[in-house]
Amino acid sequence: MSEWVALAIAMAAACAVVVAVVVLRHRRIGAGKNVDETPDVIEYITMMIGVVYAIVLGLAIAGVWEARGAAQDDLFREAQSLREVSDRAVVYPAEFRDQLRADVDGYVTFVVNTEWDYMAKHGEISEQGDRLLDKIQNEVATRAPASDLESQAYQPIMDRISQTSDARHQRGQAAGPTMPGVVWFGLIAGAVITVGMLFALQIRRTPRELILAGCFSALIAFLLFMIWDFDDPFSRSVSVTTQPFVDLFPSLNLKS
């Protein structure tokens, strides 16, 4: 089932539950009981609950959005650093240069075509990717510079490899869901309480009130879905893509 289909079902179900509860409650109370007046204290408590829950939702959305943006930046930094390693290898003799570039291309191909799916499935980076990056680092680190030009290029290349390793580590940290379970408990419990407070306001069965109650519950369901979708930056519908690698290494046969 598509995530968007699941979202549509969840929103429709939230609307249906609220409308059904309102209709059944109205029938149980009956027409003889006055439900027009709601105590002021209930209105005040409902307003405060809505404000508090809105703040919690806003903080959760900001948190997962910031985490997704950081994951995107780390991925671009990883791809850009590897591109510079490949470009700066021009100072080396042809044999070593071709080998280093081939290892960089092999690492990029593995990350995009193999490790990306592994990371989405297991929520972590693979040991094979670590070994491929270590091979690149060891090749440069153990080769003594043979000229002044190589000596000048040695440290910048090692710096770019170090940046790649750091960005890779950050990518591994961001893989998988990042929101703690206690936060999800608070978000879901808050949604139930906030929507449940609608019934404390003694809303009636008029079309206008039913539409507003249904739209409100559907909005809560959508916001929770959006937080869930952004919570895992690499494996859901609005996820970070491998486009930086594809753009910076156009000669490779990379999955987009």
Side-chain angles (χ1 to χ4, degrees):
M1 180 185 297
S2 170
E3 293 178 0
W4 294 104
V5 174
L7 170 62
I9 293 175
M11 293 175 65
C15 291
V17 168
V18 171
V19 171
V21 171
V22 171
V23 172
L24 291 175
R25 180 174 177 273
H26 183 79
R27 289 180 178 177
R28 183 178 63 83
I29 293 176
K33 188 173 181 179
N34 183 13
V35 297
D36 292 335
E37 296 183 359
T38 300
D40 292 339
V41 66
I42 293 182
E43 293 183 355
Y44 176 77
I45 293 174
T46 302
M47 178 187 68
M48 293 305 300
I49 290 175
V51 170
V52 171
Y53 188 63
I55 294 173
V56 173
L57 275 178
L59 291 175
I61 292 172
V64 295
W65 179 258
E66 183 179 358
R68 182 186 181 279
Q72 183 72 61
D73 293 341
D74 290 333
L75 185 69
F76 179 80
R77 184 159 56 96
E78 183 180 1
Q80 180 64 38
S81 298
L82 287 170
R83 178 74 260 180
E84 292 188 25
V85 170
S86 184
D87 291 341
R88 290 174 182 270
V90 69
V91 302
Y92 291 110
E95 182 179 357
F96 183 79
R97 178 184 66 235
D98 293 343
Q99 179 61 45
L100 180 58
R101 286 177 172 174
D103 290 338
V104 170
D105 292 346
Y107 172 82
V108 171
T109 302
F110 173 79
V111 168
V112 176
N113 293 348
T114 304
E115 187 177 54
W116 204 259
D117 294 333
Y118 176 90
M119 186 173 59
K121 182 178 180 181
H122 298 280
E124 60 182 6
I125 55 179
S126 66
E127 295 182 357
Q128 177 63 20
D130 294 335
R131 288 192 291 268
L132 291 175
L133 186 58
D134 289 341
K135 181 182 178 183
I136 296 173
Q137 186 175 23
N138 292 334
E139 284 181 348
V140 178
T142 57
R143 186 183 189 280
S147 66
D148 291 340
L149 192 59
E150 291 185 21
S151 298
Q152 295 173 8
Y154 172 80
Q155 192 57 50
I157 291 178
M158 290 299 297
D159 289 342
R160 297 305 180 276
I161 296 175
S162 178
Q163 291 175 6
T164 302
S165 179
D166 179 67
R168 174 179 174 80
H169 176 73
Q170 294 298 325
R171 175 161 60 86
Q173 292 293 318
T178 58
M179 293 274 286
V182 66
V183 176
W184 275 115
F185 174 80
L187 290 173
I188 295 173
V192 173
I193 294 172
T194 302
V195 175
M197 289 302 294
L198 290 174
F199 308 120
L201 294 176
Q202 302 183 23
I203 59 176
R204 294 167 297 181
R205 205 169 49 175
T206 62
R208 180 179 61 183
E209 295 184 22
L210 291 178
I211 290 174
L212 290 176
C215 289
F216 178 74
S217 59
L219 176 62
I220 296 295
F222 171 75
L223 292 176
L224 290 177
F225 171 84
M226 185 170 63
I227 294 172
W228 173 83
D229 203 18
F230 285 138
D231 185 32
D232 191 341
F234 295 108
S235 66
R236 290 174 182 158
S237 61
V238 189
S239 62
V240 175
T241 67
T242 58
Q243 196 61 40
F245 285 114
V246 176
D247 293 340
L248 293 174
F249 294 87
S251 61
L252 302 180
N253 184 25
L254 302 177
K255 296 191 301 185
S256 57

